Amino acid sequence: MDNRAEVREFLTSRRAKITPEQAGLPSGSRRRVPGLRRGEVAALADVSVEYYAKLERGNLAGVSPAVLEAVARALQLDDAERAHLLNLAHAADGSDALTRPRRRTAQWKPHRSLQWVLDAVTAGPAFVRNGRMDLLAANALARAFYTDVYASAGNQANLARFQFLDPASRRFYPDWEQAADVAVSILRTEAGRNPHDKGLHDLVGELSTRSDAFRIRWGAHNVRHHGTGTKRFHHHTVGDLTLAYEGLEMAAAPGLTLTVYTAEPGSASEEGLRLLASWAATQNTASPAEQGAD
């Protein structure tokens, strides 16, 4: 990823989202740009216009934490956006080399104990993914849940490819537009955190070339923390499911996230997960690694 371009486009896009009224400034009648002017952001951050213009041209190397915080406040960045700005600054300094997750390949395999933990979760899908949205490990219910993802070799067990390149995703995600926004924000966040990941770079290039929906969203530079919430799904075997999820960062494997989906007790979705478990027991839902084992 081109760090300077990432910084420039991110700061410009955030500045365009803040109206003068939101910033407590007079709107005026002859504004030529959406959102705030550079000079207004500079004044709010208590830096010179020239210095802020330098930042917005992509020059974050050597910028102090105090200035970054001031810019974040001026642009009214949320927690995810603020973290993204700090990650971009670390990448500009080269300091991310000491803190970024080690590059992981498609051959990464879960520790036996991790697979045991996943398999111990029997009431809901549980899986491990990386920042590129590759499904790296899963319990039986997750493999049954994501059967459409695994069904096509072209998806390469990647949720982003499935989202944007596989027509089956339109059925699986009833709220497809929202799910697409989330997928891109996860990838954009990972790009800021780990800009040297060639696999991510290749994935973004592939999706940008093959999907207008992805390319438009990627250009918006939206980021988010994706830790907890509720989503709707439509599984081809058990129908509609409304599931809560919790995403847990893995201390033993930085950069990876363990996600568990659950249903509200006593709900139709809980019964749907029971039906999915019964269906999974009749299918070959072994992991690719297990299928290849002797």
Side-chain angles (χ1 to χ4, degrees):
M1 303 291 173
D2 182 344
N3 178 261
R4 290 169 65 93
E6 289 286 313
V7 172
R8 180 174 63 251
E9 293 167 12
F10 178 66
L11 289 178
T12 300
S13 67
R14 297 313 94 175
R15 177 163 61 86
K17 290 178 65 175
I18 303 297
T19 66
E21 292 82 3
Q22 289 173 322
L25 300 171
S27 60
S29 58
R30 301 180 63 182
R31 305 186 70 88
R32 295 181 298 172
V33 295
L36 299 180
R37 300 184 178 100
R38 281 182 176 177
E40 292 169 331
V41 176
L44 291 168
D46 196 23
V47 298
S48 70
V49 176
E50 293 77 11
Y51 188 76
Y52 179 73
K54 173 186 173 183
L55 301 184
E56 203 170 274
R57 287 195 296 270
N59 298 309
L60 284 188
V63 178
S64 71
V67 169
L68 293 172
E69 290 291 349
V71 170
R73 287 194 300 271
L75 294 175
Q76 300 182 20
L77 303 185
D78 62 23
D79 288 344
E81 292 169 329
R82 175 185 168 278
H84 188 62
L85 178 62
L86 296 178
N87 284 330
L88 291 174
H90 292 159
D93 284 336
S95 57
D96 67 320
L98 298 176
T99 59
R100 66 177 179 257
R102 288 178 298 172
R103 188 174 301 172
R104 300 183 185 277
T105 67
Q107 285 72 42
W108 181 88
K109 293 182 180 180
H111 237 253
R112 288 192 306 163
S113 58
L114 173 58
Q115 190 63 57
W116 295 341
V117 169
L118 293 173
D119 292 340
V121 180
T122 58
F127 59 93
V128 173
R129 66 162 178 83
N130 58 19
R132 295 192 301 270
M133 302 187 72
D134 295 316
L135 291 171
L136 301 178
N139 66 359
L141 201 49
R143 292 191 292 272
F145 180 68
Y146 283 125
T147 184
D148 283 339
V149 180
Y150 291 113
S152 171
N155 292 331
Q156 300 178 47
N158 179 273
L159 294 174
R161 282 193 184 89
F162 173 68
Q163 177 79 51
F164 290 100
L165 303 182
D166 193 328
S169 71
R170 297 278 180 170
R171 179 195 64 223
F172 185 68
Y173 297 111
D175 304 312
W176 190 90
E177 298 288 338
Q178 179 182 350
D181 290 343
V182 169
V184 175
S185 69
I186 291 173
L187 294 181
R188 177 60 81 177
T189 300
E190 180 66 9
R193 182 168 51 230
N194 193 8
H196 308 286
D197 187 331
K198 184 180 183 300
L200 176 62
H201 185 277
D202 291 345
L203 176 63
V204 169
E206 175 189 358
L207 296 179
S208 296
T209 300
R210 300 179 61 187
S211 170
D212 290 340
F214 177 86
R215 185 168 56 253
I216 292 170
R217 286 172 168 83
W218 185 254
H221 286 263
N222 291 327
V223 294
R224 62 174 288 171
H225 290 153
H226 190 64
T228 185
T230 302
K231 293 182 181 180
R232 296 196 306 139
F233 303 94
H234 181 85
H235 191 275
H236 61 79
T237 298
V238 301
D240 293 334
L241 297 168
T242 299
L243 303 178
Y245 65 89
E246 293 289 337
L248 309 173
E249 294 295 324
M250 296 179 57
L256 303 187
T257 301
L258 190 158
T259 299
V260 179
Y261 283 110
T262 58
E264 181 180 355
S267 67
S269 293
E270 183 183 47
E271 178 60 25
L273 286 181
R274 290 197 189 100
L275 292 174
L276 181 62
S278 297
W279 177 78
T282 69
Q283 308 298 308
N284 178 16
T285 57
S287 68
E290 292 168 338
Q291 292 175 18
D294 292 335

